[in-house]
């Protein structure tokens, strides 16, 4: 069972854009092999940084409006959202340390503003 919240076109604004904490959005699709490689890493990040960053996933096949709005051209794409804006993204199956380094940068920035 996944701890990562599945978001949709309908609840993306509420769950991501209106979030008080930074959000990592995993844009994925069931047929995408690299997405299946990244999924366990995203799960680990969700558990390890619970309370510091919100982690969600969006199936781009079932929710094309949000994917188009953020010009997601390739999956997996990990979008980092802060204060209602996508501030960074990571495209492709990348190692966990690379993802965590980017997230820490934005988590520190969010903490400094509070």
């Amino acid at each position: 069972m996944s701890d990562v919240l599945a978001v949709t076109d309908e609840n993306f604004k509420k769950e991501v854009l209106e979030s008080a904490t930074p959000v990592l959005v995993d844009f994925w699709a069931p047929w995408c092999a690299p997405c299946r490689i990244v999924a366990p890493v995203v799960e680990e990040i969700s558990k390890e940084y619970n309370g510091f960053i919100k982690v969600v996933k969006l199936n781009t096949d079932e929710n094309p409006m949000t994917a188009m709005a953020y010009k997601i051209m390739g999956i997996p794409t990990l979008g980092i959202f802060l204060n209602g804006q996508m501030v960074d993204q990571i495209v492709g199956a990348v190692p966990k340390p690379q993802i965590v380094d980017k997230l820490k940068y934005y988590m520190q920035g969010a903490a400094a503003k509070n």
Side-chain angles (χ1 to χ4, degrees):
M1 184 77 180
S2 175
D3 289 333
V4 178
L5 175 68
V7 295
T8 64
D9 286 342
E10 290 74 32
N11 70 359
F12 190 84
K13 180 180 178 192
K14 177 182 178 289
E15 296 294 341
V16 176
L17 303 182
E18 296 175 357
S19 176
T21 59
V23 184
L24 176 66
V25 180
D26 179 8
F27 293 92
W28 72 287
W31 51 263
C32 166
C35 296
R36 291 193 295 273
I37 293 168
V38 169
V41 172
V42 170
E43 288 279 340
E44 288 175 22
I45 290 169
S46 175
K47 289 180 175 92
E48 290 172 22
Y49 295 93
N50 186 21
F52 297 100
I53 190 159
K54 183 176 187 177
V55 180
V56 301
K57 56 198 235 175
L58 183 124
N59 181 328
T60 57
D61 285 350
E62 295 175 356
N63 302 283
M65 299 305 291
T66 301
M68 283 190 294
Y70 290 97
K71 298 176 177 58
I72 304 302
M73 301 301 212
I75 53 174
T77 292
L78 301 176
I80 302 170
F81 287 77
L82 191 60
N83 301 319
Q85 301 289 318
M86 183 157 60
V87 293
D88 210 337
Q89 62 180 326
I90 303 165
V91 180
V94 299
K96 181 180 175 183
Q98 187 176 337
I99 299 167
V100 169
D101 283 348
K102 276 204 184 209
L103 290 175
K104 283 184 176 177
Y105 174 81
Y106 291 105
M107 285 188 285
Q108 289 169 351
K113 290 181 182 179
N114 291 336

